[in-house]
Amino acid sequence: MRSASDDLTARARIREAAIRAFARDGFDAASMRAIAREAGVSAALIVHHFGDKNALRTACDDYVVAAFIDDKHELIEAPTADRIRAALHDVERYGPYIDYLGRMLGDSSPAADRLFDEIVRVTRDVLDEQREAGLLVGMSDPEMTTLLLVMMGLAPVMMRAQIGRMLGQDQLSPAGMLRTTLPTLELLTHGIYSSTAVLDGARQAMASENESSGNGSSEKPTEGGAS
């Protein structure tokens, strides 16, 4: 007879095979038969453990989301705010989860929304801590700035293959992360323009547009009184 531990092992193998298949081929293209073959089990056993393909996808969604945000997930022991960072520094181990994350976010599933909201929350918390420590300049729209930083952080996940092709190496590999670190911090610390001419021009254009439409000033008060 099959033991409970055998069932658990088979369930884990199926889930891992499905995560790889969905990440590689997409949900629609990955078949239950192919997943069963990759997991070394029968398609009937997948139905036994998970039911249909949609239920298997839900189980994979929940597992990958938990890998990044659940304190009790068995794979990552870092504090919650450091989970994604920890995963990105161990691409060999977590590569399939990162690829699945890219697919999932592109699908706009409920699990993707849940994970995106959590990433935004963590980013907002980090910025709040840095603001309280006096590390940030004033921002005209802190919430939009938070979203822009999230977009920057998720770009290597969503466009991993394209960025890797341009760099000649996986940007999420240790070497790729090392190459990315200083340019990213330079961009966040100094920006790329040598003067405020472009920003000043944009402010003037937005102010003129709002005046002509009768909406008044377009800018929110800047944090801390900075311009």
Side-chain angles (χ1 to χ4, degrees):
M1 292 180 63
R2 189 173 57 230
S3 69
S5 61
D6 289 336
D7 273 354
L8 289 174
T9 301
R11 181 180 176 87
R13 289 206 314 273
I14 294 167
R15 184 192 62 236
E16 294 299 313
I19 287 172
R20 291 192 298 270
F22 291 153
R24 181 182 63 244
D25 305 324
F27 176 76
D28 291 335
S31 69
M32 294 278 273
R33 191 178 301 277
I35 292 170
R37 186 166 53 248
E38 187 165 342
V41 302
S42 67
L45 191 60
I46 297 181
V47 174
H48 167 74
H49 280 294
F50 295 96
D52 61 15
K53 186 179 175 183
N54 286 320
L56 176 59
R57 162 68 190 268
T58 298
C60 292
D61 280 357
D62 290 344
Y63 189 82
V64 172
V65 168
F68 291 100
I69 67 175
D70 187 348
D71 290 338
K72 296 181 180 179
H73 198 282
E74 70 265 29
L75 288 181
I76 301 179
E77 298 177 354
T80 301
D82 294 331
R83 291 187 182 282
I84 294 175
R85 188 180 304 111
L88 292 181
H89 281 81
D90 196 353
V91 176
E92 183 175 351
R93 184 180 183 190
Y94 297 106
Y97 299 94
I98 295 169
D99 290 338
Y100 187 92
L101 170 61
R103 283 276 188 176
M104 185 167 60
L105 287 169
D107 287 347
S108 298
S109 68
D113 290 344
R114 174 187 166 201
L115 181 57
F116 182 81
D117 290 350
E118 182 65 13
I119 293 171
V120 171
R121 184 194 67 78
V122 170
T123 303
R124 185 186 296 116
D125 288 348
V126 170
L127 290 177
D128 286 345
E129 292 174 2
Q130 293 179 338
R131 186 176 295 108
E132 291 175 3
L135 298 176
L136 301 182
V137 299
M139 301 173 186
S140 63
D141 190 338
E143 189 64 19
M144 189 65 241
T145 300
T146 299
L147 290 176
L148 289 171
L149 289 174
V150 169
M151 290 160 58
M152 288 176 60
L154 289 177
V157 175
M158 301 292 292
M159 297 183 290
R160 184 176 180 183
Q162 292 86 349
I163 294 174
R165 178 171 54 81
M166 295 299 294
L167 289 179
Q169 61 185 171
D170 185 356
Q171 198 247 314
L172 299 181
S173 67
M177 295 290 287
L178 186 63
R179 182 177 177 185
T180 303
T181 297
L182 285 181
T184 300
L185 291 176
E186 287 170 354
L187 180 63
L188 294 177
T189 304
H190 303 300
I192 61 173
Y193 293 115
S194 61
S195 76
T196 63
V198 175
L199 176 60
D200 293 341
R203 284 173 170 162
Q204 291 171 7
M206 292 173 66
S208 298
E209 179 67 23
N210 279 300
E211 287 175 4
S212 64
S213 62
N215 291 333
S217 175
S218 64
E219 293 191 33
K220 299 178 180 179
T222 303
E223 288 183 341
S227 58

